[in-house]
Amino acid sequence: MKNIKQMNGLTLRNLTGIAIAGTGTAFPAGGRWIDNATIHRMIFGDEWQQPMAAKNLDPLYYEQQLGFSKRFWVHTPGTAIVHDELTSADLMTEAARHAIEDSGINKEDIDFVIAVTITSPRYSTSMGPYVSGRLGIHAPSMEMKSGCASNIFSLTLAAQLIQNGAKNVLITCGETNTKVLKMTSRMAYAGGDAGAAVVVSKAGAEKGIMAGYLNSNGSFSGHMGVPGLLPPNQQDIDEEKYYLEYSDAAEDFLNEAWTTTPQLLYKATGLTAGDIDCLIPHQVHKKRTQYAANAAGVPMEKTIDIIHEYANCGSASLLLALDHAKKRGALEHGKKLMLLAAGGGISWGGLILTT
Amino acid sequence: MKNIKQMNGLTLRNLTGIAIAGTGTAFPAGGRWIDNATIHRMIFGDEWQQPMAAKNLDPLYYEQQLGFSKRFWVHTPGTAIVHDELTSADLMTEAARHAIEDSGINKEDIDFVIAVTITSPRYSTSMGPYVSGRLGIHAPSMEMKSGCASNIFSLTLAAQLIQNGAKNVLITCGETNTKVLKMTSRMAYAGGDAGAAVVVSKAGAEKGIMAGYLNSNGSFSGHMGVPGLLPPNQQDIDEEKYYLEYSDAAEDFLNEAWTTTPQLLYKATGLTAGDIDCLIPHQVHKKRTQYAANAAGVPMEKTIDIIHEYANCGSASLLLALDHAKKRGALEHGKKLMLLAAGGGISWGGLILTT
């Protein structure tokens, strides 16, 4: 395996003339916020204190060490998939509605739609047209994914489409991680479900992506993923193969990805850590966010840290965090934001955006 | 529902400075070429003449009317999915190897990978890094889809990435349609499996996509697709919901998509039908290819028609046809190609490429 420093990746410069016109999120009323005590109870029973102590598990560990406090679940991990539960398409649709409303743009003026998910509710069907159809948007659309870094990729694609004539690009992302998580103490606390969307629009040349950096390394594909074959088969259902499996084999590599990306972005833009007004990392867990802030040289008070509200929502986390940054005023005129993500694939990257 | 003429879509102009450096296809030795008589036998038994006649089915219909004569199958439609069969990832990997070899470019010089499939073998996992890992390519990568028009989209994305600094983009596509087809006379003859790939490279400003046109309409999502929910569930397996369902409801709309796209491309480029050296349509069936040629005003002798060899290979068909065009010499210096596709989504579009 190559060292990360030998993997040059792709640096995209001056994807400018674009702005974030609106953001939106979705946790519809049909869903449920789950706190840690509820999960303790689900795994260890109503009297969870005793069995957790017997297994040497600290009930406060998940909140104190990892920052997981509550999360939105459309599904109870480890139970059968049923037809009346919310899907990632529902979350995408709802988040898109809010982002369009927030942007003030008519949906008729959206001229490209990128749907992003690693937990699609359908085989074969592209979520691009599927979700656009529900929204009544008639525009070219596609589905794409590259793990939890998907939206670093999608934002750079949106910017390129706008540079080539699109006026408004909708990126909408939905994840239902709970449908591929087992109800174990390792996984259940970490995963959340969410929708998050953004409208990217044509803007003055001073605004946009100063530099984006993208990379992937497929060497670790076997260490992270759902091993069951598609289309579905009985054997893999019986053997519970449609659940996410994860090993720590890629941890060192992931740390290196989080460390090197900010430096590559500083080099590409000539900026330094002091120029960054807001750091928006993909939300894995509290320690990872602190790690990212440290690697970027940005203090935690300028870093979006929402893991305690939502846990890890897969590829939706980055756009959720962007929505929070916008609500906090971090997208006002002339700010400089750094977005960072790394995850399944392994795919990773980041970008610096002038608002 | 809107009339197609009210749906403007997105026209991308002057995605130039790029060329098709190499193409490749995959039908590995482990697979099987199936002729029509073999399918007659599978559906109606060894003495198929009698039962077909009793059902008023003409055994020559599929070849004479639709052009389906043989096709590559990795799987027998309607049978259970098993672990030792080829997957679309295998086909993508093999096709990519051939395309890279054909391009003469070192795999180390590929700086973006787009994996395309509507029949992925995995849930959640992006085929971009997955296939890149197998190929030993260390470059940013993603998976995308928008039905059978996916590669009109992917080619325009590749061109934009090259305009923004990438040197060589690999698009690799694999489809195993047989795994979602039932063994019925309507579906079994029509579907084939294939891998097809292309390396798009930086080139002189006179070469590239003069204009591309992209559009989608999600109104017909319910008329074409695999209705079973993902992740997989027992009920949908029991009810055989993981098979493609298709109605003719969108036929008129699809015809209009095939008709309007060439005219939009002529308008965007100032070219006329006489300027087109080679028409490369997505291969649905013989009549559709003739329809496309007629709509574009290009004679059949300048139109790639390979349906009799491969049947409909989903999103791979367009790149298969591009590979055939290259082998026929149609990509020599200074030629003008028109690529057209429409399919599931509905997504459709086209592009005019100067080689």
Side-chain angles (χ1 to χ4, degrees):
Chain A
M1 195 199 75
K2 281 192 179 185
N3 183 289
I4 203 167
K5 291 185 183 66
Q6 296 171 265
M7 289 192 241
N8 292 323
L10 182 64
T11 302
L12 300 161
R13 289 178 174 82
N14 301 318
L15 301 178
T16 49
I18 66 133
I20 304 295
T23 60
T25 62
F27 316 95
R32 298 162 293 166
W33 289 101
I34 304 288
D35 63 14
N36 290 357
T38 304
I39 300 178
H40 299 339
R41 205 170 295 121
M42 285 174 162
I43 301 177
F44 301 102
D46 279 348
E47 308 294 321
W48 48 265
Q49 291 86 346
Q50 192 94 37
M52 285 193 86
K55 291 199 174 213
N56 232 344
L57 292 169
D58 176 4
L60 299 178
Y61 168 80
Y62 307 98
E63 177 153 12
Q64 289 177 348
Q65 295 298 309
L66 302 175
F68 302 134
S69 168
K70 60 178 184 163
R71 71 289 288 156
F72 175 79
W73 278 4
V74 299
H75 178 83
T76 302
T79 61
I81 304 304
V82 294
H83 277 260
D84 60 354
E85 285 176 337
L86 289 172
T87 69
S88 53
D90 297 325
L91 296 169
M92 279 184 234
T93 305
E94 185 71 9
R97 281 206 183 98
H98 292 305
I100 294 166
E101 192 185 334
D102 185 49
S103 74
I105 288 163
N106 292 324
K107 68 182 182 186
E108 289 74 18
D109 294 324
I110 288 169
D111 40 21
F112 203 92
V113 177
I114 303 175
V116 178
T117 182
I118 54 174
T119 52
S120 170
R122 292 271 186 254
Y123 194 59
S124 296
T125 299
S126 171
M127 285 294 114
Y130 186 85
V131 170
S132 298
R134 290 180 173 198
L135 291 163
I137 293 175
H138 297 282
S141 58
M142 61 180 230
E143 178 182 330
M144 63 76 62
K145 64 182 167 191
S146 200
C148 292
S150 293
N151 286 310
I152 300 292
F153 284 67
S154 72
L155 285 163
T156 66
L157 296 179
Q160 291 173 76
L161 286 162
I162 290 172
Q163 288 194 331
N164 282 296
K167 290 181 293 293
N168 303 291
V169 177
L170 169 67
I171 300 170
T172 188
C173 178
E175 298 290 12
T176 52
N177 294 311
T178 49
K179 297 185 183 181
V180 290
L181 293 179
K182 287 190 182 172
M183 187 60 107
T184 64
S185 58
R186 174 156 185 173
M187 297 305 236
Y189 299 90
D193 301 330
V198 58
V199 177
V200 185
S201 298
K202 195 170 166 60
E206 77 285 4
K207 294 175 189 282
I209 298 171
M210 296 177 70
Y213 173 75
L214 305 172
N215 214 343
S216 305
N217 175 4
S219 309
F220 294 101
S221 273
H223 297 283
M224 212 187 302
V226 175
L229 270 184
L230 289 185
N233 70 91
Q234 190 64 52
Q235 184 191 340
D236 287 347
I237 285 200
D238 293 343
E239 293 177 2
E240 301 193 341
K241 293 289 190 191
Y242 295 110
Y243 290 99
L244 190 68
E245 294 186 2
Y246 181 84
S247 90
D248 288 333
E251 283 301 299
D252 287 350
F253 191 92
L254 282 166
N255 281 336
E256 208 178 335
W258 285 99
T259 305
T260 51
T261 304
Q263 305 313 319
L264 287 163
L265 292 171
Y266 290 139
K267 194 177 160 197
T269 56
L271 297 182
T272 61
D275 297 315
I276 302 300
D277 296 297
C278 182
L279 175 67
I280 305 176
H282 164 52
Q283 307 281 306
V284 184
H285 53 64
K286 188 170 76 174
K287 282 184 180 171
R288 182 73 76 188
T289 299
Q290 287 162 345
Y291 191 98
N294 190 48
V298 176
M300 278 303 287
E301 57 271 25
K302 291 185 177 179
T303 300
I304 303 294
D305 178 14
I306 55 170
I307 198 78
H308 55 284
E309 284 185 68
Y310 307 108
N312 181 343
C313 297
S315 73
S317 281
L318 189 77
L319 298 188
L320 268 185
L322 183 64
D323 176 81
H324 274 250
K326 183 165 189 283
K327 293 199 171 104
R328 198 198 255 203
L331 272 69
E332 284 165 13
H333 179 70
K335 301 283 187 187
K336 289 198 168 35
L337 318 181
M338 178 183 282
L339 281 68
L340 293 176
I346 292 171
S347 283
W348 73 98
L351 55 87
I352 292 179
L353 182 77
T354 304
T355 58
Chain B
M1 194 199 74
K2 280 192 179 188
N3 182 290
I4 203 168
K5 292 186 181 64
Q6 297 172 266
M7 289 193 240
N8 292 323
L10 182 63
T11 302
L12 300 161
R13 290 179 174 80
N14 301 319
L15 301 179
T16 49
I18 66 131
I20 305 296
T23 61
T25 62
F27 315 95
R32 299 162 291 166
W33 289 102
I34 305 287
D35 62 15
N36 289 357
T38 303
I39 301 179
H40 298 339
R41 204 171 295 122
M42 285 174 161
I43 300 177
F44 300 103
D46 280 347
E47 308 295 320
W48 48 265
Q49 289 87 346
Q50 192 95 38
M52 285 192 88
K55 290 197 174 210
N56 232 345
L57 290 170
D58 175 4
L60 299 178
Y61 168 79
Y62 306 100
E63 177 154 11
Q64 289 178 349
Q65 295 297 309
L66 302 175
F68 301 135
S69 168
K70 59 177 185 162
R71 69 289 288 155
F72 175 79
W73 278 4
V74 301
H75 178 83
T76 302
T79 62
I81 303 303
V82 295
H83 278 260
D84 59 356
E85 286 176 333
L86 289 171
T87 68
S88 54
D90 297 325
L91 295 169
M92 278 184 236
T93 305
E94 185 69 10
R97 281 204 183 98
H98 293 306
I100 294 165
E101 192 185 334
D102 184 50
S103 74
I105 288 163
N106 292 323
K107 70 181 182 188
E108 289 73 18
D109 294 324
I110 288 169
D111 41 20
F112 203 92
V113 177
I114 304 175
V116 178
T117 182
I118 55 174
T119 52
S120 170
R122 292 270 186 255
Y123 195 61
S124 296
T125 299
S126 172
M127 285 295 113
Y130 187 83
V131 170
S132 299
R134 290 181 173 197
L135 290 164
I137 293 174
H138 297 282
S141 59
M142 61 180 233
E143 178 183 329
M144 63 76 61
K145 65 181 166 192
S146 199
C148 292
S150 294
N151 286 310
I152 300 290
F153 284 67
S154 71
L155 285 163
T156 65
L157 296 178
Q160 291 173 75
L161 286 161
I162 289 172
Q163 288 194 331
N164 282 297
K167 288 181 295 293
N168 304 291
V169 177
L170 169 67
I171 300 170
T172 188
C173 178
E175 297 293 9
T176 52
N177 294 311
T178 50
K179 297 185 183 182
V180 290
L181 293 180
K182 286 190 182 172
M183 187 61 106
T184 65
S185 57
R186 175 157 185 171
M187 297 305 234
Y189 299 90
D193 301 331
V198 57
V199 177
V200 185
S201 297
K202 194 170 166 64
E206 77 286 3
K207 294 174 189 281
I209 299 172
M210 296 176 69
Y213 173 76
L214 305 171
N215 214 342
S216 306
N217 176 5
S219 308
F220 295 101
S221 274
H223 297 282
M224 213 186 303
V226 174
L229 270 184
L230 289 185
N233 70 91
Q234 190 64 52
Q235 184 191 338
D236 286 347
I237 285 201
D238 293 342
E239 294 177 4
E240 300 194 340
K241 294 288 191 192
Y242 294 111
Y243 291 98
L244 189 67
E245 294 186 1
Y246 183 83
S247 90
D248 288 332
E251 283 301 300
D252 288 349
F253 190 91
L254 282 166
N255 281 337
E256 208 178 336
W258 283 99
T259 304
T260 51
T261 304
Q263 306 312 320
L264 288 162
L265 292 172
Y266 290 139
K267 194 176 160 197
T269 56
L271 297 182
T272 62
D275 298 316
I276 302 301
D277 296 297
C278 183
L279 175 66
I280 305 175
H282 164 52
Q283 307 281 307
V284 183
H285 53 63
K286 190 169 74 173
K287 282 184 180 171
R288 183 74 77 190
T289 299
Q290 287 163 345
Y291 190 98
N294 189 49
V298 176
M300 278 303 287
E301 56 270 25
K302 290 186 177 178
T303 301
I304 303 293
D305 178 12
I306 54 169
I307 198 77
H308 54 287
E309 285 185 67
Y310 308 108
N312 182 342
C313 297
S315 74
S317 281
L318 189 77
L319 297 188
L320 268 186
L322 183 64
D323 176 79
H324 276 250
K326 183 165 188 285
K327 292 199 171 106
R328 198 198 255 203
L331 273 68
E332 285 165 12
H333 179 71
K335 302 281 188 188
K336 289 197 167 38
L337 318 181
M338 179 184 280
L339 281 69
L340 292 176
I346 291 169
S347 283
W348 73 97
L351 55 87
I352 292 178
L353 181 77
T354 304
T355 59

